[in-house]
Amino acid sequence: INTFIHPMPWIDKIAFQRRLMSCGVEFNWNNLDSWIWFNGDLDKYYNELISSDSKRNLNVISSYAVHRWLGKKGSTLIHYELILSAINQFTSGEGLHVLDAGCGLGAGLMWFETNGPKSFELVGHTISSTQLKFINSLPSHIFQAVLKSYDELEVYGNDSSDKRALDVIYSIEAFIHSPDEDNTLKQWSNALADQGIVIIVDDF
């Protein structure tokens, strides 16, 4: 595997390094394993990412769907279409309690509220205060978003408790951030209703 990182479009290698450092990257140029983003502070990383991008349109979901592009047209919305298809395939498709685990700027929640069954009860978890502020500025919506890790699911209970369990947990390019994947999956499993499903889109 060629681990050389080409500095294009930065012709000046020093300028490229300075740009990376301005984005919160700490690194030894000769050791790629040494790269650290924002000293490992994911909240700080996402807050900076959002504040540095002013091109987002609150009325256009694709403009604030922070995923990589898919398909020939480079869509950031195909993820949601695929998830909805899986939900319809493996569940009743109606009256579901759905969690967006790592909801970003709320694009998935808004898309499902707009395009999915109206009977969905939608909630999202984000660890970024800036992301939550953005979500709260979106056009009128019913879904809820909270400032919590996607491991903090005690409030949802399970089928043996008096708290409503989750029927669907989906996570797009967020599971990769878990510091303990086994624990995350355990917490998700504990919060699921019988026959509940987990959908992970995380191919990085």
Side-chain angles (χ1 to χ4, degrees), residues 152-181:
E152 298 179 70
L153 303 179
E154 296 82 0
V155 67
Y156 302 113
N158 52 47
D159 282 346
S160 63
S161 73
D162 57 357
K163 304 172 185 176
R164 187 179 181 192
L166 294 163
D167 300 295
V168 177
I169 298 175
Y170 72 85
S171 183
I172 304 174
E173 297 168 12
F175 181 71
I176 191 174
H177 294 309
S178 172
D180 186 338
E181 295 90 347

Side-chain angles (χ1 to χ4, degrees), residues 22 38 50 62-64 66 69 76 79 87-88 91 118 125 132 135 147 157-158 170 173 181 193 195 199:
S22 73
F38 293 94
I50 296 162
S62 60
S63 77
Y64 57 92
V66 286
W69 295 343
T76 56
H79 307 73
I87 290 174
N88 290 332
T91 74
K118 301 304 180 186
H125 281 203
L132 184 60
I135 291 171
L147 191 63
N158 52 47
Y170 72 85
E173 297 168 12
E181 295 90 347
Q195 307 303 314
I199 304 170

Side-chain angles (χ1 to χ4, degrees), residues 14-200:
I14 299 301
F16 181 60
Q17 293 181 7
R18 287 174 178 167
R19 175 57 177 162
L20 287 174
M21 294 174 68
S22 73
C23 292
V25 183
E26 300 174 16
F27 62 94
N28 176 341
W29 189 255
N30 297 312
N31 179 10
L32 298 185
D33 292 333
S34 72
W35 287 38
I36 299 176
W37 290 74
F38 293 94
N39 198 31
D41 187 337
L42 195 59
D43 180 21
K44 185 177 180 181
Y45 163 67
Y46 276 115
N47 288 348
E48 178 66 25
L49 180 67
I50 296 162
S51 63
S52 65
D53 189 344
S54 60
K55 299 185 296 295
R56 308 193 189 281
N57 185 334
L58 299 179
N59 296 304
V60 180
I61 296 175
S62 60
S63 77
Y64 57 92
V66 286
H67 318 302
R68 74 181 186 93
W69 295 343
L70 292 178
K72 294 181 179 179
K73 296 183 179 180
S75 172
T76 56
L77 304 181
I78 293 178
H79 307 73
Y80 312 134
E81 297 170 7
L82 293 172
I83 290 171
L84 182 57
S85 176
I87 290 174
N88 290 332
Q89 180 179 354
F90 295 105
T91 74
S92 65
E94 294 290 339
L96 303 178
H97 196 191
V98 179
L99 171 69
D100 186 332
C103 65
L105 297 174
L109 296 167
M110 185 64 82
W111 188 92
F112 278 105
E113 183 166 308
T114 304
N115 299 277
K118 301 304 180 186
S119 60
F120 277 10
E121 181 181 347
L122 299 162
V123 63
H125 281 203
T126 175
I127 62 168
S128 167
S129 55
T130 304
Q131 286 183 340
L132 184 60
K133 182 178 179 180
F134 182 93
I135 291 171
N136 289 335
S137 70
L138 291 173
S140 179
H141 54 269
I142 300 173
F143 68 78
Q144 296 184 344
V146 295
L147 191 63
K148 283 186 176 182
S149 162
Y150 52 44
D151 289 344
E152 298 179 70
L153 303 179
E154 296 82 0
V155 67
Y156 302 113
N158 52 47
D159 282 346
S160 63
S161 73
D162 57 357
K163 304 172 185 176
R164 187 179 181 192
L166 294 163
D167 300 295
V168 177
I169 298 175
Y170 72 85
S171 183
I172 304 174
E173 297 168 12
F175 181 71
I176 191 174
H177 294 309
S178 172
D180 186 338
E181 295 90 347
D182 289 341
N183 178 64
T184 294
L185 291 175
K186 179 180 179 181
Q187 297 306 319
W188 291 2
S189 177
N190 289 342
L192 280 177
D194 288 344
Q195 307 303 314
I197 63 173
V198 171
I199 304 170
I200 298 174

